[in-house]
Amino acid sequence: MNPKSNGERFSQLVDGELSTDETCDVLSATLDDADAREELKEMLNLQRSLRAWRTLEPRSNLVAAAQPHRPPRRRRFLLACCVAAVAGAAVAVVGMSMFRANRKEGVVPDQSQVALPATVTREQRREIAEVFRFHQSVAGPLKWFAADDETVQLAAADSTDAGSRPVVVLLRFQSEGERQDRVVKNCVFVCRERQPMSIRLPSNAGNSRFRVYLVPHTRDGKVHVEFAVSLDGEPNKGSVAALVGRSDVALKETPLGQLVVDGSLINVRANGWVLEGGKL
Amino acid sequence: MTDLPIAENLPQMYRVALRYLGDADKAEEAVQNACVKALQNRDGFAGNSSPMTWLHRLTVNCSIDLLRRNGRSSNARPMAMDELGGVERFSQSNPALAAERKELGRIAGALVAELPDDCRTSFVLTQLDGYSYDEAAEIENVARGTVASRVFRAKKQLASAMAESIGEEVNR
């Protein structure tokens, strides 16, 4: 038996993914091959070690409770909108300790007394990679991921995203003014190379007026980003402020420009790097 | 009206929620919420994906929503598998064997995080969440053969790392 196909067949065998005939063929060939038997035994041992996890089931009887009656049409529409909003803007708080790292230096995400570090550290890059990989391991492949210190938004990848490398872009929004008056918002985006990403920034008040559009490109490991950051005005009146452009971004912070928001000047800066699998 | 196979997907939904929330009670709550949303929206299920994939996405979103509502701090880390000893169930008829398997499970769980990205998702979906290769292929939007190959590579790496890890513990 071919050693490579041996192992893969054993893997599928212990997972119950072979047909009855294929199972018979594999087992017959294995009986007279000592090396093959050892390899099968290794697969079986690994399978057994994960059995407890794989067989976990709810302890109580979960009931898929049906509604006693269908609500009126308008309520159904509003309910559908709410569900769509939740599904489309899922939020979580997971491992944004890059801000904790900053906090150790006396910096907090939204009220800063000390200047934020201008260069992303290896530890921060590692933590962002871990958080992204965790979400992918549960939610499946992601087209993009966006997070600040309190919220997370995800979008599932489709076939057009396959093979596009994930690129990290950090955006920092910092208002001008006395140190104690400065407001700082840090956002992490992981998006796919050459794939546009457009989202509304999360807001504690739930009525965020900021929208961000990003398309990252890479060349020789360096990141170039097309960006647009806009501030919505009154309903049906379009944007009141926008920052649009292209820039190379790197581990060291790059200024992208400024926005005027409600009479205050907001500086927008960015860092960027390619999120390689397991590499920084 | 779409007939959703919710009951038969409950175990996978629970395991997905448990990996996100790290707590059995919260995982059950997230799955219950996902079931309610599935029933509320069953008429809107367009059939672009299989019901299983749709339920998987609902479970992920409900788990994340629960994390947010429970005010999980930004310092929280994803739950590592070896921290979930409290929810494991083992036969009590052979305590020594049970203890050995629990330890192996703990070691395996700790090593899963070190798998390469492309392998880890396929491995977790099939080996931990209990999805078939076809179901995992649909969730990941890849061919079934790709899932099979990734799972095999992950198992080889895991088995090798476990052997090293166990050898180090024996030699201590």
Side-chain angles (χ1 to χ4, degrees):
Chain A
M1 265 180 132
N2 180 322
K4 185 175 187 296
S5 64
N6 225 12
E8 200 163 322
R9 301 276 267 181
F10 290 154
S11 171
Q12 295 184 55
L13 171 69
V14 300
D15 287 343
E17 293 283 341
L18 294 182
S19 66
T20 309
D21 288 340
E22 288 170 323
T23 300
C24 286
D25 290 343
V26 170
L27 288 176
S28 297
T30 304
L31 288 173
D32 297 324
D33 186 332
D35 290 338
R37 286 199 301 272
E38 278 306 304
E39 193 169 1
L40 178 57
K41 192 174 171 183
E42 185 181 76
M43 287 285 164
L44 288 168
N45 286 339
L46 182 61
Q47 189 80 349
R48 282 207 293 258
S49 72
L50 295 172
R51 180 182 299 165
W53 180 263
R54 194 171 47 250
T55 52
L56 282 172
E57 294 202 4
R59 295 165 308 175
S60 51
N61 285 329
L62 294 176
V63 177
Q67 297 295 313
H69 66 275
R70 290 180 67 76
R73 194 185 191 90
R74 178 173 166 73
R75 277 185 61 197
R76 290 207 304 273
F77 174 73
L78 290 175
L79 193 61
C81 287
C82 289
V83 171
V86 169
V91 289
V93 180
V94 181
M96 297 307 296
S97 57
M98 63 173 291
F99 301 114
R100 295 286 171 172
N102 292 344
R103 199 163 290 168
K104 289 177 189 170
E105 301 170 26
V107 172
V108 294
D110 58 353
Q111 289 288 339
S112 171
Q113 298 287 337
V114 178
L116 294 168
T119 303
V120 178
T121 65
R122 185 178 184 83
E123 177 64 18
Q124 291 165 337
R125 282 143 54 207
R126 188 187 65 77
E127 297 208 6
I128 290 172
E130 264 186 32
V131 170
F132 182 69
R133 280 202 293 268
F134 167 72
H135 281 286
Q136 283 215 126
S137 75
V138 181
L142 296 176
K143 180 169 186 168
W144 56 256
F145 164 91
D148 61 12
D149 200 31
E150 293 176 350
T151 59
V152 167
Q153 298 182 65
L154 311 171
D158 55 36
S159 57
T160 60
D161 304 315
S164 294
R165 287 189 297 178
V167 176
V168 183
V169 176
L170 304 187
L171 286 186
R172 183 169 295 120
F173 300 85
Q174 185 168 14
S175 61
E176 288 284 324
E178 297 298 323
R179 282 184 179 270
Q180 58 271 24
D181 295 330
R182 277 188 194 171
V183 174
V184 179
K185 185 174 182 70
N186 298 289
C187 301
V188 177
F189 303 96
V190 183
C191 33
R192 298 280 171 177
E193 192 180 6
R194 298 185 305 277
Q195 302 298 326
M197 168 190 171
S198 177
I199 72 163
R200 186 173 294 279
L201 285 184
S203 161
N204 290 344
N207 59 351
S208 173
R209 297 161 61 196
F210 278 97
R211 281 184 289 151
V212 172
Y213 170 87
L214 291 172
V215 183
H217 302 268
T218 67
R219 188 172 55 200
D220 300 327
K222 296 180 182 172
V223 177
H224 179 83
V225 64
E226 300 171 29
F227 63 88
V229 180
S230 67
L231 177 70
D232 290 344
E234 297 299 318
N236 302 320
K237 294 209 175 155
S239 300
V240 296
L243 180 64
V244 181
R246 299 166 179 255
S247 179
D248 291 330
V249 291
L251 295 178
K252 189 172 177 186
E253 198 174 66
T254 303
L256 298 185
Q258 294 175 321
L259 284 167
V260 176
V261 178
D262 297 331
S264 296
L265 202 60
I266 306 283
N267 292 306
V268 183
R269 299 189 180 91
N271 307 75
W273 66 94
V274 175
L275 196 155
E276 301 281 3
K279 298 177 190 172
L280 300 173
Chain B
M1 184 184 294
T2 306
D3 187 21
L4 292 173
I6 294 178
E8 64 198 59
N9 280 285
L10 276 178
Q12 283 101 325
M13 293 166 71
Y14 173 72
R15 290 191 279 271
V16 167
L18 189 61
R19 282 198 294 114
Y20 245 117
L21 295 161
D23 177 273
D25 290 331
K26 292 192 175 66
E28 289 177 359
E29 183 181 349
V31 171
Q32 187 73 73
N33 293 343
C35 291
V36 170
K37 286 192 196 308
L39 286 170
Q40 288 171 344
N41 293 281
R42 61 183 180 273
D43 288 348
F45 173 57
N48 293 332
S49 61
S50 74
M52 178 276 307
T53 305
W54 189 61
L55 290 171
H56 175 88
R57 286 293 316 165
L58 275 181
T59 306
V60 167
N61 291 336
C62 288
S63 301
I64 293 175
D65 194 37
L66 205 57
L67 270 177
R68 178 183 61 84
R69 281 196 280 122
N70 287 342
R72 185 135 174 194
S73 77
S74 60
N75 212 21
R77 308 288 302 201
M79 178 64 66
M81 276 180 56
D82 60 351
E83 297 175 39
L84 292 171
V87 299
E88 293 175 353
R89 295 177 298 130
F90 286 95
S91 164
Q92 297 302 308
S93 61
N94 190 334
L97 184 61
E100 182 190 343
R101 285 190 184 165
K102 183 172 181 179
E103 180 60 14
L104 286 174
R106 184 193 68 78
I107 293 172
L111 295 171
V112 165
E114 297 177 19
L115 291 172
D117 290 349
D118 60 343
C119 297
R120 184 173 46 251
T121 305
S122 296
F123 181 87
V124 167
L125 286 172
T126 56
Q127 307 303 304
L128 305 186
D129 292 344
Y131 290 103
S132 69
Y133 283 20
D134 285 329
E135 289 168 340
E138 185 176 336
I139 288 173
E140 292 192 81
N141 209 12
V142 298
R144 184 186 182 281
T146 303
V147 171
S149 171
R150 287 175 177 176
V151 169
F152 168 60
R153 282 192 289 128
K155 284 182 180 179
K156 288 297 287 184
Q157 180 168 327
L158 207 59
S160 173
M162 281 179 71
E164 255 185 62
S165 186
I166 292 168
E168 282 169 9
E169 296 217 4
V170 165
N171 290 332
R172 251 186 235 152

